[in-house]
Amino acid sequence: MVTIQETELKERGLLAVRTAQKLGQPILISEVHKMDTINPLSFFNSGRERYLGERFYWKDPSEEVVLIGLGISKQIQSDQATDRFFHVEEEWKKFLKDSLIFNPYIENGLGPVMFGGFSFDPLKVKTPLWSKYADSLFHVPKYMLTIVEGQTYLTTNIVCTPNDDYTLFEKVISERVQLLTSLEHEFDINPAKLLQMKEISPLQWKQSVDDVVEDLKTGSLKKVVLARELRLFFDNHVKADVILENLYNQQRNSFIFVFESNGDCFLGATPERLVKKQGKDVFSTCLAGSIKRGKTEEEDNILGQTLLNDQKNLNEHGFVVEMIKEALEESCEEIILPDRPQLLKIRDIQHLYTPVIGKCQKDASLLLLVERLHPTPALGGLPKQEAVEKIRQVEELDRGFYAAPLGWVDYRGNGEFSVSIRSGLIQGKEASLFAGCGVVANSDSESEYLETSLKFRPMLRALGGN
């Protein structure tokens, strides 16, 4: 383990105290150290006692970037429905202003990073299900492990107020030493046993699909995505650590995320990127249209070819491609888009997939891109606003963060957001899983019901079901 120089933080701490007193306001001091290899799951687990409810985990499919945050040095939250993306951006800029950042490295995801997301629809009536999550919620962690292309870094973020003195940094040094020492301990966690599963209003959901199909035949709506909930009951408190390890072992080729808030935990393994920004380079994903995996390679290939030639799924996919292209054109000087979709195969499902690459203009922030892209037709429908209003009207489920943007932004404006599907919300001895499907004019409610059952499977397996 690389030893972090305590004298560095002491000297920087004194500078932070003087700066906070001079400005008469709290300021952020952030420092980054390169470390020997640290197991990311061990780092997440090490925060179970001291930082329970204040942790996050993020891994992209290629494991190019892994982020784990422990503790909260700053929370940015709002239940403001209008201009929520702009509001978060302004709060983030305000927090970073006058900050002292000691980061000699050029890699993304180092130094101050805010991690979190937005609810699917802030105008939907909130239910107790999502009471622990504001409609916009981001955490800036106290300690963050970043693994970028195999290199390991530790960021320490401290907010220093005009009333603080040097002892604040003595406490941080002691806490950080304890944290790094605790990584060597083995954690024995007994998984909670699944006792019961309850589908929430399945007949009513099918009726909603039938009703929307009728609306699609006569109105201007082309597609509406309807989601439903599966509630699970366990013999003991469900530990995020156990589920995270299961997801890591079972869905390694997906974005894997955990986001704790006030005792609840939202987590999942999603195949879908919303948008990634690296400097001027922007990457997005069109993912719509799905079919199950085959039991043999031959059956899998036949199913894949069936999907590639299925007109309903191709039409649905085309809607997403066109919308993402239009959304990015507002902010990009150049867009590269393949002519035809390809297959993205994950453990239980294969999807139609089209990658999108763009060169964005100078003033295009990541959160602006997120705002323009959310929700894609794969999660909302078409036309966008009309589809969201229909979902608000007919869907019983309070989606909360399900199917919404979740990800991270660093202080240089780089970052990535996924679409948080294949996900679940852990609440003590219970959990809710969420799944949806695209309803079009020729949809059949029974087929759509079976499709959502298939989409429950990755999270259900991670939680100990079949």
Side-chain angles (χ1 to χ4, degrees), residues 32-36 38 40 43 56 58 64-69 107-113 141 143-155 408 410:
V32 181
H33 292 274
K34 198 167 187 179
M35 310 291 288
D36 291 338
I38 295 174
F43 190 81
F56 69 75
W58 168 276
E64 185 182 323
V65 176
V66 182
L67 299 172
I68 305 96
E107 286 78 7
N108 295 337
L110 305 180
V113 166
Y143 303 105
M144 183 178 70
L145 189 74
T146 305
I147 302 171
V148 190
E149 296 178 350
Q151 299 298 307
T152 305
Y153 305 85
L154 181 69
T155 297
W408 59 276
D410 69 20

Side-chain angles (χ1 to χ4, degrees), residues 204-451:
Q204 185 180 328
W205 186 83
K206 287 182 191 178
Q207 186 60 53
S208 294
V209 172
D210 290 335
D211 293 344
V212 167
V213 166
E214 289 306 310
D215 289 345
L216 291 167
K217 288 174 181 174
T218 56
S220 57
L221 273 169
K222 295 179 182 176
K223 174 186 173 184
V224 177
V225 178
L226 292 179
R228 65 188 186 97
E229 177 188 355
L230 179 66
R231 190 75 174 172
L232 310 181
F233 302 87
F234 297 83
D235 67 342
N236 212 328
H237 281 73
V238 181
K239 304 285 198 306
D241 318 59
V242 176
I243 313 310
L244 173 58
E245 189 157 354
N246 290 344
L247 288 172
Y248 186 78
N249 292 330
Q250 296 166 10
Q251 303 289 337
R252 199 154 174 178
N253 295 328
S254 296
F255 290 94
I256 297 176
F257 63 86
V258 177
F259 186 35
E260 295 182 335
S261 178
N262 299 303
D264 285 0
C265 178
F266 181 52
L267 75 179
T270 173
E272 187 164 359
R273 167 189 288 152
L274 183 64
V275 62
K276 175 182 180 179
K277 186 173 182 289
Q278 288 182 312
K280 287 188 70 176
D281 295 325
V282 174
F283 307 88
S284 189
T285 298
C286 308
L287 201 72
S290 57
I291 201 166
K292 67 180 180 179
R293 298 296 305 270
K295 290 176 182 170
T296 65
E297 188 176 345
E298 183 183 8
E299 185 191 1
D300 197 55
N301 289 334
I302 290 169
L303 286 166
Q305 287 304 311
T306 300
L307 181 59
L308 284 169
N309 292 288
D310 181 79
Q311 204 53 51
K312 173 187 175 288
N313 280 295
L314 286 169
N315 289 342
E316 192 178 327
H317 188 81
F319 292 153
V320 179
V321 172
E322 191 56 36
M323 177 268 170
I324 287 180
K325 179 170 172 279
E326 284 178 12
L328 291 180
E329 276 174 344
E330 296 178 54
S331 302
C332 290
E333 298 161 356
E334 178 189 354
I335 293 176
I336 302 165
L337 192 65
D339 293 332
R340 286 184 58 80
Q342 57 201 66
L343 291 174
L344 176 69
K345 295 174 183 267
I346 52 178
R347 178 164 176 164
D348 300 287
I349 308 173
Q350 40 192 328
H351 294 280
L352 292 177
Y353 160 76
T354 300
V356 186
I357 301 172
K359 292 278 184 189
C360 69
Q361 296 154 3
K362 268 188 176 179
D363 61 345
S365 75
L366 180 54
L367 289 185
L368 173 70
L369 294 168
V370 170
E371 180 177 19
R372 286 183 176 160
L373 289 166
H374 172 73
T376 73
L379 283 308
L382 272 174
K384 179 173 172 175
Q385 196 54 46
E386 207 176 325
V388 171
E389 286 168 7
K390 177 60 75 173
I391 292 166
R392 194 182 301 146
Q393 177 191 331
V394 305
E395 200 172 76
E396 182 182 321
L397 173 66
D398 173 9
R399 292 192 182 190
F401 274 41
Y402 164 70
L406 186 125
W408 59 276
V409 186
D410 69 20
Y411 71 102
R412 292 167 173 154
N414 300 303
E416 183 164 26
F417 280 78
S418 66
V419 180
S420 49
I421 53 174
R422 313 291 189 272
S423 54
L425 179 66
I426 296 172
Q427 298 175 304
K429 295 183 180 181
E430 299 181 18
S432 284
L433 308 188
F434 312 102
C437 59
V439 179
V440 292
N442 61 345
S443 286
D444 170 71
S445 58
E446 190 59 36
S447 297
E448 305 297 0
Y449 172 79
L450 293 173
E451 182 180 323

Side-chain angles (χ1 to χ4, degrees), residues 35 59 95 104 115 131 141 176 180 182 203 228 321 330 396 420 441 452 454:
M35 310 291 288
K59 180 195 80 66
F95 177 64
F115 182 93
S131 61
R176 191 165 64 181
L180 294 174
S182 72
L203 297 178
R228 65 188 186 97
V321 172
E330 296 178 54
E396 182 182 321
S420 49
T452 53
L454 178 64

